[in-house]
Each structure stands twice: as C-alpha cells, then as structure tokens.
C-alpha cells in the first residue's frame, strides 16, 4: 500500500520489479517488508551488528536525514529506537543497496519504512510500524 511515497509494504519499486521472496534464495532488496540487505563495513563490522536488538528499531541514516523528531517521539512513546549513521566511506555502498537516504529497520532485520526524508506524520509512522494503524486510516 503506497501513500505519498512512504510505504511500509509495497509490491513494486518505481524503478524495478521486486524479487519474488523465497525461502531457498535471497535476493537483496531494501523495500519495506524485505530483509534488510547486508554489507560488511569498512571497519570490518557487519551492518547487522549495528541494528537494534530486542524489540526496537534502527533508523539507518545514509546522509542528510534529521532524525531528531523521530527519536524524540519514539522515546516519549517508549519505543526503542537507535539511529545509525555509517561512516562516509560506507554510505555510497549502502545507498546503492537501499536506494533511499534512510530506512527504518526492525530488530528482526526487516525494513518497515524507507525514504529520502521522514514523513511529516511521524506519529502516524510510529503507529504503523508498531502495528497500531495503517496508511489507509488517515
């Protein structure tokens, strides 16, 4: 379902068809609903090492996204949220994988949102990613 370019689950990327999810083969895709693509970072760590553990979320910031309001609203609601901004040397490779400047990833490493800027409706985004609403109920 798409709304203003901010999808939690979308069946098509504007640029290309999404890979058919299977249990046998994994095709990296950062569209919401897919497992976050992996990358070994320049410091030798795994991108997955930087994703939140437990029941939280991690905002991957590949440059230029102001996460201040999202972090504030999540904290007020008791939603665990970490922000990971990789070193500049890794940003280009990650941007190529994720195709957007930011992605919100659950602790199970699934992308729940991605975009080039956070939506104006941050409270609604938090409602959606925590399962309390859908984009269709504005």
């Amino acid at each position: 379902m798409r709304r203003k370019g901010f999808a939690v689950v979308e069946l098509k990327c504007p640029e290309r068809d999404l890979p058919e999810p299977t249990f046998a083969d994994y095709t990296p895709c950062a569209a919401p609903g897919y497992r976050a693509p992996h990358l070994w970072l320049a410091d030798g760590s795994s991108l997955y090492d930087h994703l939140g553990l437990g029941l939280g979320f991690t905002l991957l910031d590949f440059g230029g996204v102001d996460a201040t309001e999202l972090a504030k609203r999540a904290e007020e609601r008791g939603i665990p949220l970490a922000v990971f901004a990789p070193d500049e040397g890794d940003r280009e490779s990650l941007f190529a994988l994720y195709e957007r400047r930011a992605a919100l990833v659950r602790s199970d490493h699934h992308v729940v949102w991605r975009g080039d800027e956070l939506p104006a409706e941050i409270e609604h985004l938090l409602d959606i990613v925590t399962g309390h609403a859908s984009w269709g109920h504005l």
Side-chain angles (χ1 to χ4, degrees):
M1 180 177 298
R2 293 181 58 93
R3 174 172 163 57
K4 297 182 184 179
F6 301 108
V8 171
V9 176
E10 61 184 356
L11 298 178
K12 299 275 183 192
C13 288
E15 311 85 36
R16 61 182 168 79
D17 289 335
L18 295 176
E20 186 66 32
T22 69
F23 289 107
D25 298 309
Y26 172 69
T27 302
C29 179
Y34 284 78
R35 184 173 176 89
H38 177 267
L39 183 71
W40 289 104
L41 303 178
D43 67 3
S45 68
S46 165
L47 174 64
Y48 290 171
D49 291 341
H50 301 276
L51 299 180
L53 300 175
L55 300 176
F57 297 88
T58 302
L59 180 72
L60 300 175
D61 177 2
F62 307 130
V65 174
D66 182 1
T68 307
E69 192 65 23
L70 177 65
K72 176 184 166 197
R73 301 273 181 94
E75 183 177 7
E76 290 171 354
R77 294 174 62 166
I79 300 168
L81 173 74
V83 177
F84 177 65
D87 291 337
E88 194 164 328
D90 293 315
R91 287 183 187 166
E92 186 175 325
S93 298
L94 286 165
F95 182 80
L97 282 173
Y98 283 80
E99 302 174 333
R100 303 293 188 282
R101 291 182 3 183
L104 189 60
V105 181
R106 292 189 319 215
S107 60
D108 67 357
H109 301 174
H110 282 78
V111 177
V112 293
W113 172 88
R114 70 176 175 165
D116 290 319
E117 61 185 39
L118 290 168
E121 306 116 346
I122 288 177
E123 289 289 336
H124 197 64
L125 173 64
L126 292 172
D127 285 342
I128 292 165
V129 301
T130 57
H132 292 94
S134 71
W135 282 123
H137 293 106
L138 281 178

